[in-house]
Amino acid sequence: MQNDTILTMRGIDKQFPGTRALSKVDFTLRKGEIHALMGENGAGKSTLIKVLTGVYEKDGGSIWLEGVEGEAHIHSPQDAQKLGIATVYQEITLCPNLTVAENMYIGRTEGQIVPWKEYEKKATALLNNLGIPARAKQELNHCSLAVQQMVAIARAVDMNCKVLILDEPTSSLDDKEVEMLFSLMRDLKSRGVGIIFVTHFLEQVYEVSDRITVLRNGELVGEYAIEDLPQVELVAKMMGKDLHDLSDLEQIGSKHKAEDEIIYEAQKISSSESKPFDFSIHKGEVNGFTGLLGSGRSESVRAIFGADRVTGGKVKMKGKEVKISKPHDAMKAGIGYLPEDRKKDGIIADLSVRENIILALQVMRGFFRPMSKAQMEAFADEYIKALNIKTASQDTLVGSLSGGNQQKVILARWLLTHPDYLILDEPTRGIDVGTKLEIQKLVLKLAAEENMSITFISSEIEEMLRTCSRLIVMRDRNIVGELTGDQLTQAQVMKTIAGGGQ
Amino acid sequence: MNAKKTRKAGGIGQLMIPLIALGVLILFNLIRDPGFFSISLSNTGVLTGNLVSVIDSASELAIIAMGMTLVTASCGGQDISVGAVGAIAGSIFVCTLQAMGRITIWSVILGIIFCIGVAIMFCCFNGTLVSVFKIQPMIATLILFSCGRSIAYWFSGSATPQLSSPIIVAMGITIPGIPVPTPIFAVVLMGILLSLVFRFTNLRLYTQSVGINQGAARLNGINPVMIKMLSFVILGVCVAIAGVIGVSRIGQIAHQTLLVEIEMDAILAVAIGGNSLGGGRFRVVGSVIGAYIIKMLTITLYAMSVAPANVKAYKAIVIILIVLAGSPVIRNRAAVLLNRFRIGKETKAAAKGVN
Ligand SMILES: Nc1ncnc2c1ncn2[C@@H]1O[C@H](COP(=O)(O)OP(=O)(O)OP(=O)(O)O)[C@@H](O)[C@H]1O
Ligand SMILES: [Mg+2]
């Protein structure tokens, strides 16, 4: 063993009922290195991390840490914290109704009397230092998801750790915030901290990482230096497919020409969270809302679905005026909505995969018309296969699925209702590269074959350029432009967001 | 924290601990006194024995526990006014019968319908505070908990009227010619009724969704306010039935003692049944088993001639043990141990295979 290793994991096993999440996995982390942990959804990345941080007990294998005699015994997150392992989990695990400062220091205070005033000062300094746009005294649930994520990172950074673990930290950050995070990571790296970085964004991996470990189906595929593993090969290693099989993935199909019929039309629609705006979509059209985080793109589609309190506006569905004041109205009118925040608005964690998939359809059928068990099973089966959802069984609680697979369950839920108009807010968040392309393909296919109208929102502009035939650009809660045809280029989008062009 | 969820949906898992507890209690009694569960036919043609009196006397508790399970699941909190509202319902029942003069089958049916209506009204008051005004259920129901019995007293004209009629005796004790106490039939009937509701509506799916993640449930078109109200309405029906049984047993409305302290036992029954008091997934059967465990425990302690003053303390000890056994921490420990054991066996088997 080289003497600059700070963490060695050997032969790690972890079994869940019905799933072998990890089998004989090795992992090595060196001082001052950024080490990417890659793999498809459900490959076992989060599980490996949770074993390391004591959230799960491992079934076999050993862990050694620099500075600790013999094997390290980590049985709880507190143990890990004491040993200098700081973690930002995939699902944000802060306390939403505490303040930012309280969240940063809770569980780390020593002694009986907690000098909150002092902590608030320290928190403010750190927030300024890292450029996080939040106040120490602000309640966390009033912050955007991105800011919450940054607070979690700030908490980890402040712990003076030896090992920093970031499980998909960038999935809800925009480019600027990602840059901020990366400079922070490089800074920590130069101070000798070892960083484990999980993400599904390949470019980001190549931008910051030094080394890559690839997992597939709970098994170790290998460890590679970044120079030795070009992007295409990395994808092949993750998916377990040969290179030439991959080429067809790159072609996601062509955009389809929308029909003339307008399916949804809104005038001066507004909600408690969004300013009034006009919007319409044609049958079979795929459009997108873009803009920086906080630009109001999510709030706008929430207004369409009636997710927030609707305060005004006229809505026509297929030419007929309808009143949409709550989600149920929207569903009855034929609208589906996959929300941005999977954990808070999407999954019902303690219900089974099957119940989660059929939920929306069941609600649309009505309170007095429950589906038969056989019917539910058939539907669930169909979509588990169609979207390739990795789950031990239909009865598994959806909360125990990997992040990406939870996302697929919610997607399945809305596809099952066969809406006329489907709103997808960040459907590819936390989804692996292969599946991301599959979902984009699916969106185009639904539009072309079923004539479904789709609004597709993504933080990745390329994704939207590939799928949308019309982009609505937002800034500061206002629509500032609409791009179609030849204007659909990255440069034009950026320019419009920045306020340059029309 | 979303960690450590290794459970699967459905199955017998949740009922394991209450069933084991019930089994242990029965076994304990059998060892202590092999004749404890002997049942005999009394000279009036009625089944008697400890087992019968456990099942009979647990009826009100079992029925209220059913409703409490639903309220717990949807609101993540408990209604502590069930005893008091039960007294109001009983009082209304008695008043209606008195107002109508002669007690006939029809006047009794009318009385029951009427008192169910009133109980639903009071429960909807609680439900409104909880679902619309988002007040903690325990706090919201504290109001009726403290003044409900006075309201009941006031309803019956500040008196404790009696009901003497063979119909009331038949309802509270036994129907002539049928050897099983009538309240037991009421439990069975309520159980069947509820399972029919679960069978033919989406009540279970909606209630669980609201209890687990209200925001997400709303975005899927469920109205959380309605579902919470509905659970209170069902609790209202349960409470009214329990009140009527209680009144019929003694043929009198006793405002201060009717269903007294039943709220705590009902909450306990829900917890012993393996339901999370924080809401979400639930099994009504579990709570009913919980109710029988509580009564069995009480009667066991009395049979062992523990002084009445000490019964509560012993009861508390046993209940703590049961609730602890069902707690997530102990469950996870057990799961981890079981897992190790299984993997150990697998590796041994594999090693043998290699050899
Ligand atoms: N608590 C749990 N109970 C049961 N199964 C689990 C649990 N946690 C994870 N699993 C299973 O273990 C496997 C690995 O999951 P894990 O969360 O580690 O995947 P991942 O690589 O992080 O995926 P993603 O990219 O989607 O986040 C999955 O099949 C998942 O269903
Ligand atoms: Mg993960």
Side-chain angles (χ1 to χ4, degrees):
Chain A
M1 223 181 290
Q2 289 149 292
N3 54 2
D4 64 342
T5 49
I6 40 177
L7 167 71
T8 315
M9 301 173 83
R10 286 289 172 265
I12 304 294
D13 276 325
K14 179 71 200 173
Q15 173 94 33
F16 288 117
T19 331
R20 177 125 219 180
L22 294 174
S23 60
K24 304 251 170 301
V25 172
D26 299 341
F27 183 80
T28 314
L29 184 69
R30 295 156 193 81
K31 225 176 234 165
E33 112 177 323
I34 299 180
H35 195 136
L37 187 57
M38 305 290 294
E40 294 186 288
N41 293 131
K45 305 177 296 292
S46 298
T47 306
L48 186 68
I49 284 166
K50 286 181 182 166
V51 164
L52 173 60
T53 57
V55 176
Y56 295 144
E57 294 270 349
K58 58 183 184 298
D59 297 329
S62 336
I63 302 176
W64 290 275
L65 265 172
E66 181 224 38
V68 181
E69 270 301 304
E71 273 186 45
H73 294 284
I74 305 173
H75 299 294
S76 72
Q78 284 82 358
D79 288 350
Q81 205 166 300
K82 278 194 205 111
L83 291 171
I85 302 174
T87 320
V88 177
Y89 292 102
Q90 182 171 11
E91 310 290 347
I92 294 172
T93 46
L94 301 174
C95 311
N97 41 22
L98 295 183
T99 67
V100 169
E102 282 165 340
N103 264 299
M104 283 170 65
Y105 292 96
I106 193 169
R108 302 167 41 205
T109 51
E110 278 158 28
Q112 298 293 313
I113 301 160
V114 182
W116 281 119
K117 277 266 161 308
E118 199 178 304
Y119 281 140
E120 262 162 30
K121 259 192 227 139
K122 269 166 81 180
T124 310
L126 189 64
L127 290 172
N128 287 341
N129 213 343
L130 302 180
I132 301 171
R135 283 172 295 112
K137 276 188 166 169
Q138 201 170 10
E139 231 179 71
L140 194 73
N141 52 8
H142 294 299
C143 303
S144 72
L145 218 58
V147 170
Q148 294 188 22
Q149 188 84 53
M150 297 294 278
V151 169
I153 294 166
R155 174 187 159 92
V157 167
D158 192 59
M159 284 195 231
N160 266 332
C161 51
K162 280 193 294 195
V163 177
L164 174 64
I165 303 171
L166 302 169
D167 193 355
E168 298 194 30
T170 53
S171 57
S172 51
L173 304 187
D174 66 24
D175 288 351
K176 230 171 69 205
E177 289 164 320
V178 169
E179 259 328 300
M180 233 155 68
L181 175 66
F182 283 177
S183 66
L184 189 72
M185 283 165 68
R186 291 198 187 97
D187 181 38
L188 289 170
K189 170 182 157 173
S190 67
R191 283 194 252 154
V193 177
I195 299 177
I196 304 175
F197 179 47
V198 180
T199 183
H200 288 295
F201 297 105
L202 298 185
E203 301 79 37
Q204 295 182 357
V205 171
Y206 284 91
E207 194 178 335
V208 286
S209 312
D210 304 305
R211 209 175 280 272
I212 305 177
T213 291
V214 180
L215 298 181
R216 187 171 65 234
N217 288 329
E219 286 173 20
L220 177 71
V221 176
E223 192 201 81
Y224 312 90
I226 196 96
E227 312 83 56
D228 303 341
L229 193 67
Q231 195 154 327
V232 244
E233 252 176 69
L234 168 60
V235 176
K237 293 246 185 306
M238 279 164 57
M239 304 187 31
K241 282 189 189 167
D242 275 344
L243 280 178
H244 55 268
D245 295 345
L246 280 168
S247 52
D248 62 63
L249 265 180
E250 283 300 336
Q251 293 169 350
I252 66 163
S254 57
K255 288 178 198 167
H256 146 83
K257 181 133 179 14
E259 300 191 8
D260 285 338
E261 188 192 341
I262 291 180
I263 209 95
Y264 172 92
E265 188 177 6
Q267 281 171 1
K268 295 267 165 296
I269 184 176
S270 66
S271 77
S272 52
E273 308 292 321
S274 78
K275 291 185 188 165
F277 65 99
D278 293 343
F279 172 73
S280 66
I281 186 166
H282 290 261
K283 194 171 183 179
E285 181 187 342
V286 182
N287 79 352
F289 281 81
T290 182
L292 302 177
L293 276 168
S295 60
R297 51 178 205 216
S298 293
E299 287 74 8
S300 301
V301 292
R302 284 178 71 90
I304 293 172
F305 191 67
D308 300 317
R309 196 164 48 79
V310 178
T311 49
K314 265 211 194 96
V315 175
K316 274 194 200 154
M317 194 75 197
K318 291 188 195 161
K320 269 206 301 267
E321 192 154 322
V322 288
K323 193 172 167 299
I324 295 180
S325 54
K326 53 181 191 295
H328 195 222
D329 300 338
M331 286 161 69
K332 272 192 303 194
I335 305 178
Y337 166 64
L338 181 134
E340 177 189 20
D341 187 342
R342 163 175 72 223
K343 194 176 172 196
K344 180 164 145 274
D345 295 336
I347 61 162
I348 314 246
D350 263 356
L351 288 187
S352 67
V353 170
R354 177 174 57 244
E355 287 164 311
N356 267 282
I357 289 179
I358 56 100
L359 184 62
L361 181 64
Q362 182 62 83
V363 171
M364 283 174 73
R365 286 171 55 114
F367 186 71
F368 292 104
R369 291 183 56 211
M371 285 185 239
S372 71
K373 185 103 190 269
Q375 212 171 359
M376 290 191 213
E377 279 170 358
F379 279 140
D381 222 34
E382 184 187 338
Y383 279 87
I384 287 173
K385 285 214 186 78
L387 297 182
N388 195 12
I389 299 173
K390 261 191 208 146
T391 171
S393 76
Q394 296 191 352
D395 288 310
T396 309
L397 298 186
V398 84
S400 72
L401 259 53
S402 83
N405 283 301
Q406 292 181 5
Q407 184 77 344
K408 291 191 205 170
V409 167
I410 307 174
L411 189 61
R413 177 193 292 167
W414 288 108
L415 292 180
L416 182 57
T417 64
H418 294 285
D420 295 320
Y421 173 31
L422 180 59
I423 302 168
L424 302 172
D425 195 352
E426 301 267 13
T428 55
R429 169 175 295 170
I431 292 222
D432 64 53
V433 238
T435 316
K436 252 182 203 168
L437 286 170
E438 292 294 332
I439 288 181
Q440 293 166 35
K441 265 195 219 167
L442 182 73
V443 164
L444 290 174
K445 193 176 118 200
L446 288 171
E449 287 173 15
E450 297 191 22
N451 258 323
M452 201 185 277
S453 314
I454 298 175
T455 290
F456 186 96
I457 298 183
S458 168
S459 311
E460 289 174 83
I461 293 180
E462 308 88 67
E463 236 176 71
M464 296 177 81
L465 292 175
R466 244 176 287 170
T467 47
C468 303
S469 50
R470 182 162 62 107
L471 271 186
I472 293 164
V473 184
M474 298 196 65
R475 187 175 60 233
D476 296 332
R477 320 218 144 207
N478 287 315
I479 294 178
V480 293
E482 204 174 301
L483 307 175
T484 51
D486 294 343
Q487 299 169 305
L488 289 173
T489 62
Q490 186 132 4
Q492 188 63 34
V493 173
M494 294 319 255
K495 217 162 102 192
T496 318
I497 288 179
Q502 194 41 257
Chain B
M1 290 266 157
N2 64 343
K4 302 206 174 173
K5 284 224 179 84
T6 47
R7 286 171 297 143
K8 252 171 121 190
I12 196 163
Q14 186 190 330
L15 298 185
M16 191 90 121
I17 283 158
L19 281 175
I20 291 177
L22 194 62
V24 168
L25 262 179
I26 291 174
L27 211 66
F28 173 77
N29 274 314
L30 279 179
I31 293 168
R32 197 179 50 84
D33 172 8
F36 190 73
F37 290 115
S38 66
I39 293 173
S40 58
L41 212 57
S42 78
N43 46 12
T44 51
V46 179
L47 290 176
T48 54
N50 285 321
L51 194 59
V52 178
S53 57
V54 167
I55 299 179
D56 178 28
S57 66
S59 301
E60 291 97 315
L61 181 57
I63 291 175
I64 290 184
M66 292 180 194
M68 190 70 90
T69 312
L70 278 170
V71 167
T72 302
S74 66
C75 307
Q78 290 74 37
D79 183 339
I80 57 169
S81 70
V82 284
V85 175
I88 295 176
S91 166
I92 294 288
F93 178 64
V94 175
C95 291
T96 321
L97 290 191
Q98 281 200 318
M100 285 190 295
R102 240 162 47 84
I103 297 176
T104 63
I105 299 268
W106 295 114
S107 68
V108 166
I109 291 177
L110 203 71
I112 292 178
I113 292 175
F114 200 52
C115 88
I116 287 179
V118 172
I120 287 179
M121 244 175 52
F122 277 94
C123 280
C124 280
F125 168 74
N126 286 335
T128 311
L129 292 182
V130 171
S131 61
V132 179
F133 295 97
K134 309 213 160 40
I135 300 173
Q136 285 279 316
M138 288 238 183
I139 306 297
T141 53
L142 192 59
I143 303 167
L144 278 176
F145 169 78
S146 45
C147 72
R149 289 185 190 274
S150 313
I151 296 177
Y153 191 56
W154 174 74
F155 269 144
S156 46
S158 308
T160 51
Q162 302 208 340
L163 296 173
S164 45
S165 150
I167 298 177
I168 299 297
V169 175
M171 280 166 57
I173 302 168
T174 47
I175 299 167
I178 294 178
V180 180
T182 322
I184 297 177
F185 288 112
V187 178
V188 174
L189 204 71
M190 278 307 285
I192 292 176
L193 218 65
L194 258 186
S195 50
L196 284 180
V197 170
F198 287 140
R199 175 84 181 65
F200 290 105
T201 72
N202 283 311
L203 185 66
R204 177 182 292 281
L205 182 68
Y206 283 26
T207 307
Q208 293 189 148
S209 302
V210 168
I212 296 166
N213 187 344
Q214 186 173 331
R218 202 180 76 84
L219 284 180
N220 281 288
I222 299 172
N223 184 342
V225 173
M226 281 303 292
I227 293 303
K228 288 181 184 175
M229 284 301 258
L230 195 55
S231 66
F232 272 98
V233 167
I234 293 172
L235 179 62
V237 176
C238 295
V239 166
I241 302 285
V244 170
I245 296 174
V247 167
S248 306
R249 275 191 203 279
I250 53 170
Q252 187 183 24
I253 170 77
H255 309 101
Q256 293 308 324
T257 53
L258 178 62
L259 303 181
V260 76
E261 286 181 9
I262 202 161
E263 50 276 343
M264 290 308 149
D265 278 350
I267 296 170
L268 265 178
V270 173
I272 292 176
N275 299 296
S276 154
L277 293 187
R281 293 197 82 87
F282 66 91
R283 293 292 293 270
V284 173
V285 196
S287 308
V288 174
I289 298 175
Y292 290 126
I293 290 178
I294 292 174
K295 277 295 173 214
M296 170 97 71
L297 191 57
T298 316
I299 291 199
T300 307
L301 289 170
Y302 279 125
M304 289 166 70
S305 40
V306 173
N310 299 341
V311 164
K312 276 189 184 166
Y314 284 104
K315 225 169 107 179
I317 293 172
V318 177
I319 285 168
I320 287 176
L321 286 178
I322 299 173
V323 175
L324 271 183
S327 72
V329 175
I330 304 276
R331 267 177 195 230
N332 275 316
R333 286 275 153 224
V336 166
L337 284 182
L338 211 72
N339 213 353
R340 282 220 186 115
F341 179 70
R342 218 185 45 223
I343 285 173
K345 268 211 312 216
E346 269 169 23
T347 23
K348 258 184 218 149
K352 265 198 200 123
V354 170
N355 294 340

